[in-house]
């Protein structure tokens, strides 16, 4: 296969609109929903701040620019292995040491939107994944797997997005067994439309927070607060999820994009 010719054809398809670019990211600003942890357990990420340096004024007469204050895991973001204690020792597990090739790959979209609408605590199981594969084809090594729940439609309100009450947060996610099954298939990483890669009740699972604990233990990646997964086919799209190259970074806000054949 002539790779140069193939890339030229892809470029032409992008220019013609035959390949559509889908934005999978939420806007990042002061109202971006952020995870809330029990104060006895941890310190929370502060709200995103955007401060003006100049805006065509005495501080910069011909230009506008801002400076930002934000956490690595704010908004639509990438979780590197070093984000979790189980992945802390990987030398290639930080945002500045992960090979760039690993940010791009085919994506499998498992649609759980109906189940999540009926049950906010819905959990994706191994049987669900196998049933999806029987219908759409095998999940292969080096591919992304993401869970579509349409939860992103709630991210205009932090309260609705976190969906917490006196018993804790109630958001859909994977079982530990499902995550282990996907790791056994040598996937690139796991993504969700909720505030984190785990279900709301994942703290009570075994192990706790299995998407974090197991994925990062296996030197794999996480994507959280994804949007617009309903615009992707089950198979056939390419996901680009590149974090900022933060020195020793445990994660980063991203502009996640998908390349999709125009239907």
């Amino acid at each position: 296969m002539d790779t140069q010719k193939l890339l030229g054809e892809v470029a032409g398809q992008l220019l013609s609109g035959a390949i559509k670019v889908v934005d999978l990211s939420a806007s990042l600003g002061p109202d971006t929903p952020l995870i809330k942890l029990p104060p006895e357990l941890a310190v929370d990420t502060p709200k995103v701040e955007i401060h003006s340096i100049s805006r065509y004024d005495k501080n910069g007469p011909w230009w506008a620019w801002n400076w930002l204050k934000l956490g690595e895991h704010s908004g639509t973001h990438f979780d590197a292995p070093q984000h979790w204690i189980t992945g802390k020792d990987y030398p290639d597990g930080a945002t500045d040491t992960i090979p760039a090739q690993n940010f791009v790959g085919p994506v499998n979209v498992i649609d759980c939107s109906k189940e999540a609408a009926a049950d906010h605590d819905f959990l994706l199981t191994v049987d669900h994944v196998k049933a999806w594969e029987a219908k759409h084809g095998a999940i292969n090594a080096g591919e992304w797997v993401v869970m579509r729940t349409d939860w992103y439609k709630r991210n205009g309100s932090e309260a609705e997005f976190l969906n917490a009450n006196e018993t804790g947060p109630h958001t859909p996610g994977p079982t530990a067994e499902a995550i282990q099954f996907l790791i056994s298939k040598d996937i690139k990483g796991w993504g969700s439309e909720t505030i984190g890669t785990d279900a709301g009740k994942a703290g009570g699972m075994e192990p706790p927070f299995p998407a974090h604990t197991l994925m990062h233990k296996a030197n794999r990646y996480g994507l959280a607060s994804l949007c617009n997964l309903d615009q992707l086919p089950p198979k056939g799209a390419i996901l680009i999820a590149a974090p900022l190259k933060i020195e020793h970074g445990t994660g980063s806000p991203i502009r996640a994009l998908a390349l999709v054949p125009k239907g």
Side-chain angles (χ1 to χ4, degrees):
M1 180 182 295
D2 187 333
T3 306
Q4 185 173 357
K5 181 180 179 182
L6 177 62
L7 286 175
E9 290 176 354
V10 171
Q13 296 290 307
L14 282 166
L15 289 172
S16 72
I19 294 177
K20 182 172 65 171
V21 180
V22 178
D23 190 352
L24 306 181
S25 305
S27 295
L28 192 63
D31 295 325
T32 295
L34 299 173
I35 195 166
K36 297 293 182 290
L37 300 168
E40 66 275 11
L41 175 66
V43 175
D44 281 329
T45 294
K47 278 191 169 294
V48 175
E49 296 181 15
I50 302 176
H51 300 273
S52 176
I53 300 172
S54 69
R55 193 160 189 84
Y56 328 115
D57 54 25
K58 62 182 178 61
N59 294 323
W62 300 312
W63 56 85
W65 52 1
N66 304 311
W67 67 271
L68 311 178
K69 178 181 177 181
L70 71 165
E72 293 174 319
H73 301 267
S74 301
T76 304
H77 66 272
F78 182 100
D79 287 349
Q82 288 188 13
H83 172 48
W84 215 250
I85 191 169
T86 51
K88 66 183 180 65
D89 294 324
Y90 284 112
D92 60 348
T95 55
D96 61 334
T97 57
I98 296 169
Q101 186 84 15
N102 294 359
F103 303 138
V104 182
V107 59
N108 301 274
V109 183
I110 302 179
D111 184 359
C112 305
S113 56
K114 291 181 180 178
E115 293 87 345
D119 178 7
H120 293 167
D121 289 315
F122 171 76
L123 296 177
L124 181 75
T125 67
V126 173
D127 286 343
H128 290 125
V129 177
K130 288 182 176 179
W132 183 92
E133 286 189 297
K135 183 176 181 180
H136 300 290
I139 295 169
N140 300 308
E143 296 182 343
W144 288 101
V145 178
V146 297
M147 181 178 177
R148 175 192 162 189
T149 56
D150 291 351
W151 205 261
Y152 80 93
K153 296 176 181 180
R154 294 168 164 258
N155 66 16
S157 163
E158 186 173 80
E160 290 186 14
F161 198 61
L162 299 182
N163 199 39
N165 59 21
E166 66 280 358
T167 62
H170 298 277
T171 57
T175 62
E177 293 77 15
I179 290 295
Q180 193 61 64
F181 178 68
L182 293 172
I183 291 171
S184 75
K185 299 179 78 65
D186 199 21
I187 66 166
K188 188 183 298 291
W190 162 261
S192 75
E193 293 182 320
T194 55
I195 196 75
T197 56
D198 274 295
K201 60 183 183 182
M205 294 181 181
E206 183 55 44
F209 307 104
H212 286 80
T213 300
L214 299 174
M215 275 287 163
H216 300 323
K217 182 180 180 180
N219 204 17
R220 303 302 197 275
Y221 317 119
L223 303 174
S225 296
L226 292 168
C227 299
N228 299 323
L229 295 182
D230 52 353
Q231 296 185 35
L232 273 55
K235 269 187 172 290
I238 300 294
L239 175 61
I240 304 167
L244 295 172
K245 200 171 183 178
I246 301 168
E247 187 173 359
H248 309 303
T250 70
S252 166
I254 58 173
R255 187 71 177 264
L257 304 172
L259 304 182
V260 180
K262 188 173 182 180

